[in-house]
Amino acid sequence: MSSIAFPTPDPAILARRDDIIAGLAALLPPECLVTSEDERRAFETDALTAYRRLPLAVALPRNTAEVAAVMAFCHREGVKIVPRGAGTSLAGGAIPQEDAVVIGVSKLNRILSVDYANRTARVEAGVTNLSISDAVMPDGFFYAPDPSSQLACTIAGNIGMNSGGAHCLKYGVTINNILGVKMVLIDGTVVDIGGQALDPAGLDLLGLIVGSEGQLGIVTEATVRLLRLAEGARPVLFGFDSSEAAGECVAAIIGAGIVPVAMEFMDKPAIEICEAFAKAGYPLDVEAMLIVEVEGSEEEMEAQLARICEIARRYGVKVVKESRSATETALIWKGRKSAFGATGRVADYICMDGTVPTSQLPYVLKRTGEIVASYGLRVANVFHAGDGNMHPLILYNVNDPAEQAKAEAAGNDILRLCVDAGGCLTGEHGVGIEKRDLMRHQFSEVDLTQQMRVRAVFDGRWLLNPAKVFPLDGRIAA
Amino acid sequence: MTIVPTKEAEAAEAVRAAQSSRRTLSIEGGGTRLAFGRPIQTDDTLSSKGLSGITRYEPAELVFSAWAGTPVAEIEAALDEKGQMLPFEPMDHRTIYGGSGAPTIGGIAATGASGPRRIQAGAARDLLLGVRFVNGRGEIVKSGGRVMKNVTGLDLVKVNCGAHGTLGFMTEVTFKVLPKPERTLTLILEDLDDERAVQAMSAALGSPFSVSAAAHLPADVGGARARTALRLEHFAESITYRARELAKVLSAFGRAREIEDDESRALWRAIRDVDALAQPKDDMLWRVSVPPTQAPALLARLRQAGLSFRALLDWGGGLIWIACTENAAASTVVREALGGDGHATLMRASDALRASLDVFQPQDAALMKLTAGIKASFDPDGILNPGRMYAGL
Amino acid sequence: MQTNFTSAQLADPHMAASEKILRSCVHCGFCTATCPTYLLLGDELDSPRGRIYLIKDMLEGGKPATAEVVKHIDRCLSCLSCMTTCPSGVHYMHLVDHARAHIEQTYKRDATDRLLRALLAHILPYRNRFRLALGAALFAKPFRPLLAHLPRVGKRLAAMVALAPPRSPAVTAEPAPLTRADRRRVAILEGCAQPVLQPAINAAARRLLARADIEVVRVAEEGCCGALVHHMGREAQALEFARRNIDAWITAIDQQGIEAIIITASGCGTTVKDYGFMLRDDPLYAEKARRVSALTCDITEFLDRLDLPAVSTAPKRAVAYHSACSMQHGQQIRDEPKRLLRNAGFTVRDVPEGHICCGSAGVYNILQPEIAGRLRDRKVGNIERLRPDIIATGNIGCITQIGGGTAIPVVHTVELLDWAHGGPMPPALERAPGLNSRVVQFPLA
Ligand SMILES: Cc1cc2nc3c(=O)[nH]c(=O)nc-3n(C[C@H](O)[C@H](O)[C@H](O)COP(=O)(O)OP(=O)(O)OC[C@H]3O[C@@H](n4cnc5c(N)ncnc54)[C@H](O)[C@@H]3O)c2cc1C
Ligand code: SF4
Ligand code: SF4
Ligand code: SF4
């Protein structure tokens, strides 16, 4: 399988592998350096497993100083670097290259301090997203961005991809909830950008770094915003007879000036898959379902729900089912958040991530179905409807090269459709390698060149995660 | 010469011409924020005034796009008609700078002007979804788009927001908007000192009642008694309940008085625009960002250093406005009083002083190097607002 | 996940089963977050996803196991936390069992490692040998610091000795059960280590069952369930134990009409419930194994289905319930033990980070004492934060492991239940300083 190209590894680097490893071994203790082929193998991919590249070595530093030492060394030696968090990227953002050293931050996994009065926490970049909320939840706080992978993915990866999640409709994505980072630049210089203050001192460098897919530096610490939990939260399931009706209902709710905390969409195939895993009580006799979450006091939730139900009725809602307990709520979200994984029980999949204006949802959903069907494949849709961020899961058999090619072609068609409908290629998973070659569909050469010029300020030699984001041809040097 | 393009392509053409003849350009919108930043001398002025009008407004999608020169008033009127608003409550700088021009939406984006609601709804940069701009090469570049979630490519939107026109001449901006709250109510606590006020604001912001703004006006700033104001905005049904609950949270700080709707809106408008410190016009004005709980100590340090000043706290204490008689030494005092995690911007002072002092917080060498590199990546010949943020950049 | 097996490889049913498991893994990484070794070491190679990948590569390549692969598989506790987490239903247990067997067949461990493993495999599963060895270990206890300094195995031998209880438990005489034709009958697995270390546990179970008028049939021929050796990759030995137990139980089922095989050590329960899979390709045993697995249940599962008489005087004791991995992950039993304890009047507290292993994991604490020790300390820390009077759990391994790190008494859930229902106070409570003096004696039921 190989419709997405990787750059040819630099033979000079490959030839110097032993020296490079010896150099790294002088900087890191043995348990922080992975060099044997068997062991490197486990790092050859992320959650886009159809693509794999065995890295030259894997470094797992334990602190910023070690990260800096390794980066300075690689920079001096002209060795490429692929930063890695938990390796859950769906876009292949953390997939290595044969001539690159993977620098993983998984050992940087401590919460350094929590400051409730200022509503921030300082964490090492390798902490998992959920562990922050877990740590502050007993005191009534949480870290808002909640990618479905939050159990496993790291803040580092979230910063890399500017990750979002179901509750980002109200609370914003990663960039809106990060105040500062400690980052190691390609030459090993350590910089502190931002801090606990709410605005930048000069240029908004943080705005560049978040979402830069590991191309500007390696983040080792972050200051995140903590929010106070609402008094209560309740998800409600709305079942519809057609995906279009559900899509229209979403647009109507937003249009009516109601911004719920979360508004998630699942079509029938997705409902069936998730229900089988989570037993959350999803309605099985509907074509599409919305999970709408409201929060506040009991009366506030009732009042908001009444307004939402009123709109849903106008779109012919068939089933309305409120969560009745904390356990039910947990199950409803467990089902949603496990959707991708649970799909693995049924088939292999690739997950698209285009965003479209909410008014375009019904149209794009319909076209998506048609496109996938035209390739003779099946699709399950489960996504963040409130912000138009679609995740069609194209189901196929990865062991069949012909199906793999079809799935990818269908995926590309869908992403072009999203762009043409006024949206973009990726709403939260990032470009990685997966959408790299579609970038010209969304951006002009001038747009891309300007992005690359900024990139070059940080990494003029294209050493940091160089196979990603920008089409391999037409790259500009510093 | 002032160039007033009426089309984006003309703007690009003008910048290309300027670049090839090495002429520098000041970038201007409504001209209400020209005193923000270092004073600059340029060969020509490039105005966005000719690029005006809302290009797309989709109330049901909560977004609009407009040419950069569109007056904010026009946008607010259009939003108002659909019951929507700019969530980040941008400040109107005319109060502190004077002047009679009409602020433009491009100016808001360029200065990253965010008001009291920043703590809850995000800053200008959080709601700016897309920009089109002409870089220093005269190329028309777009970044972002009109959807709320977009991580495609390197994000050039945020770095342009608050870059004061040093990276590009913005031609079109797209913002996310939000429905206006049905009701707004403000709880006011009186006679708290800085320390207690910040504690009260922290307690309120750490409560589950979605406080959308928290500010403190010390005694003799906009009124004789000190006032600590906490705003609630929500559905009508919620406000009564939340006001009651929040008052309970704050009971240790005294009995809260309530003001509503128009009165509340007027108060927050005054806080947003720093009315209380606007006069006298020749006072020097600082804008300081710190972790909220460090605000009282910072103010105490200023007093200890013998600085005579008046201050106003917004963002729960995280944003401090400081007014004092103009003097060069104050800069040292203010910046030395910052803890490790704060920064200060000289918002208002005479041209002479703004030319000789650092208007924006000086940064360490590595960050300055990045800043200079980024500037050069957009504007290699340094023709766009040169020196506006940092001398020589 | 994509796989690359040849059709020749897939002809081997073991390989085919593993391929199916690998195919269902989507490499999402969710499991890494709840894996105890990843939590401690922060290296994907010591996480389920990493191990799955190592196994995939090893099996696909048809390669003998390498030292590197063995290192990471050996560090796996088989706690199965990853299986609870996995949304794709990846059967990690069967995969790692296959890998362990493959390692055992293709990898030559160094001499000391072999010796230690052989020692364990030849002593622990056999009640009498174990009893003898325990005597030796008690004798060795004063020499622990010395042992720790022996090269390579030293630490691990020391760990083994450390686990021996401070005094050799007395062999208690069992009351001979009354036999009546119409009584409900069950068998209780005696197994290997537990009756030696803590005879009080099964005794308590018997008393509880007797109160419900259920007869416990003695199945003389049964013995170790095979879990210990199974986890060491000694598949043949494990299957031999399994077959012996199956023969014994099938006879008891057919001739004495036992309705359940009750297990009081959840570690064993997970394995006995898996007999059906382990012997699926054995034409002589497949069906019998399936029957046995289907009748197997944990003592708390069984008790939960009974109507235990109400407890008249509630014991005012705060119990931290530690759910053994083999209980919550291996058998997905979560609420029953807590419900029973609550109904018996105890205040039950959930342990934070309760899904993480205590480090016992069969013989893991002997083979990987360092990681096991760190996990124990983490577990004890989490438990002690709750300030409980008593720690209850359903697995002998956890009792010994946790007991070695805290002064709070650790008992088996059934001991508490039996006590509440009129049985004697659990021996560990009697020994606990300060606790016994406050103890209210229950009225006899
Ligand atoms: C089942 C499943 C569900 C998902 N659901 C969501 C979802 O709801 N929303 C969402 O947004 N995403 C989702 N994702 C995608 C993925 O989890 C996110 O992109 C996540 O942020 C990646 O985090 P990670 O720690 O795994 O990073 P990795 O995958 O390891 O890396 C991600 C990117 O960040 C870079 N990076 C890693 N560490 C650093 C560092 N220290 N400094 C700089 N750059 C670094 C990498 O080079 C790479 O480009 C899902 C993925 C899966 C498998
Ligand atoms: S959670 Fe399951 S599907 Fe995901 S990586 Fe782990 S084993 Fe594979
Ligand atoms: S069984 Fe336990 S130790 Fe082994 S991989 Fe799974 S979670 Fe980790
Ligand atoms: S769980 Fe352990 S001790 Fe009990 S019978 Fe099985 S192997 Fe032996």
Side-chain angles (χ1 to χ4, degrees), chain A residues 152-412:
Chain A
C153 64
T154 63
I155 286 296
N158 292 176
I159 290 172
M161 295 310 195
N162 191 13
S163 305
H167 292 76
C168 290
L169 181 58
K170 173 161 178 198
Y171 294 116
V173 294
T174 302
I175 180 65
N176 315 118
N177 289 279
I178 296 274
L179 294 177
V181 294
K182 189 187 280 300
M183 184 167 93
V184 184
L185 302 178
I186 182 68
D187 63 357
T189 313
V190 179
V191 291
D192 278 296
I193 294 170
Q196 280 183 294
L198 281 170
D199 58 358
L203 289 184
D204 189 355
L205 299 178
L206 205 55
L208 273 180
I209 288 159
V210 176
S212 62
E213 306 204 15
Q215 302 213 329
L216 304 188
I218 292 196
V219 174
T220 58
E221 287 177 22
T223 303
V224 303
R225 288 184 88 181
L226 301 178
L227 298 180
R228 178 61 198 250
L229 284 165
E231 284 177 278
R234 183 178 309 148
V236 183
L237 309 176
F238 292 95
F240 294 88
D241 268 337
S242 75
S243 288
E244 286 74 21
E248 281 162 14
C249 183
V250 168
I253 292 172
I254 300 273
I258 303 170
V259 184
V261 199
M263 194 142 51
E264 300 286 303
F265 175 101
M266 288 191 192
D267 65 7
K268 194 179 185 83
I271 298 171
E272 282 167 358
I273 289 167
C274 297
E275 177 63 16
F277 168 66
K279 314 212 168 34
Y282 296 160
L284 292 168
D285 54 346
V286 297
E287 284 304 312
M289 175 181 84
L290 297 175
I291 306 175
V292 181
E293 183 159 281
V294 293
E295 52 178 37
S297 68
E298 199 54 42
E299 299 77 50
E300 288 177 310
M301 291 193 289
E302 290 298 333
Q304 266 212 50
L305 274 177
R307 292 177 190 223
I308 294 169
C309 287
E310 161 69 31
I311 297 171
R313 267 194 293 277
R314 290 210 300 272
Y315 291 87
V317 67
K318 212 174 122 187
V319 180
V320 179
K321 196 164 168 247
E322 271 184 49
S323 161
R324 295 263 155 243
S325 68
T327 319
E328 256 182 62
T329 298
L331 283 178
I332 287 175
W333 283 116
K334 182 178 175 196
R336 165 60 188 93
K337 294 201 169 179
S338 305
F340 299 173
T343 303
R345 293 168 182 249
V346 184
D348 302 298
Y349 63 83
I350 44 174
C351 170
M352 299 293 110
D353 178 43
T355 304
V356 298
T358 43
S359 61
Q360 299 290 310
L361 277 176
Y363 164 71
V364 176
L365 271 170
K366 188 163 141 281
R367 278 294 298 141
T368 297
E370 290 164 4
I371 289 171
V372 178
S374 76
Y375 285 93
L377 298 174
R378 287 176 303 145
V379 64
N381 279 290
V382 43
F383 63 94
H384 315 303
D387 31 32
N389 186 191
M390 306 192 51
H391 293 326
L393 298 166
I394 303 173
L395 310 180
Y396 71 107
N397 172 4
V398 72
N399 277 1
D400 174 347
E403 278 209 1
Q404 165 88 20
K406 279 189 206 166
E408 288 189 355
N412 289 348

Side-chain angles (χ1 to χ4, degrees), chain A residues 101-167:
Chain A
V101 171
V102 168
I103 300 183
V105 293
S106 54
K107 286 186 195 273
L108 297 171
N109 58 5
R110 291 174 306 158
I111 294 177
L112 300 173
S113 62
V114 173
D115 179 349
Y116 291 127
N118 289 312
R119 297 165 302 283
T120 61
R122 182 79 176 169
V123 301
E124 290 186 325
V127 300
T128 58
N129 173 298
L130 187 62
S131 65
I132 302 179
S133 286
D134 276 350
V136 298
M137 201 73 88
D139 299 304
F141 287 82
F142 71 113
Y143 171 66
D146 61 337
S148 303
S149 52
Q150 69 183 141
L151 176 64
C153 64
T154 63
I155 286 296
N158 292 176
I159 290 172
M161 295 310 195
N162 191 13
S163 305
H167 292 76

Side-chain angles (χ1 to χ4, degrees), chain A residues 341, chain C residues 1 24-32 48-49 52 82 85-90 92:
Chain C
M1 201 158 54
S24 66
C25 171
V26 298
H27 213 252
C28 67
F30 281 24
C31 51
T32 58
R49 191 173 76 167
I52 289 170
C82 46
T85 305
C86 177
S88 295
V90 172
Y92 176 82

Side-chain angles (χ1 to χ4, degrees), chain C residues 34-37 46-48 51 75-82 92:
Chain C
T34 57
C35 170
T37 55
D46 292 310
S47 81
R51 293 186 177 112
R75 282 185 186 160
C76 169
L77 297 139
S78 278
C79 71
L80 307 184
S81 175
C82 46
Y92 176 82

Side-chain angles (χ1 to χ4, degrees), chain B residues 50-97:
Chain B
L51 295 168
S52 182
I54 296 173
T55 49
R56 161 180 233 139
Y57 176 27
E58 306 278 358
E61 284 169 16
L62 306 177
V63 288
F64 75 86
S65 305
W67 293 115
T70 314
V72 180
E74 183 180 328
I75 286 166
E76 284 180 337
L79 295 179
D80 203 54
E81 204 172 294
K82 300 286 179 197
Q84 297 186 334
M85 63 176 184
L86 286 170
F88 55 98
E89 225 176 345
M91 166 177 189
D92 184 341
H93 284 85
R94 283 176 298 190
T95 320
I96 60 169
Y97 295 137

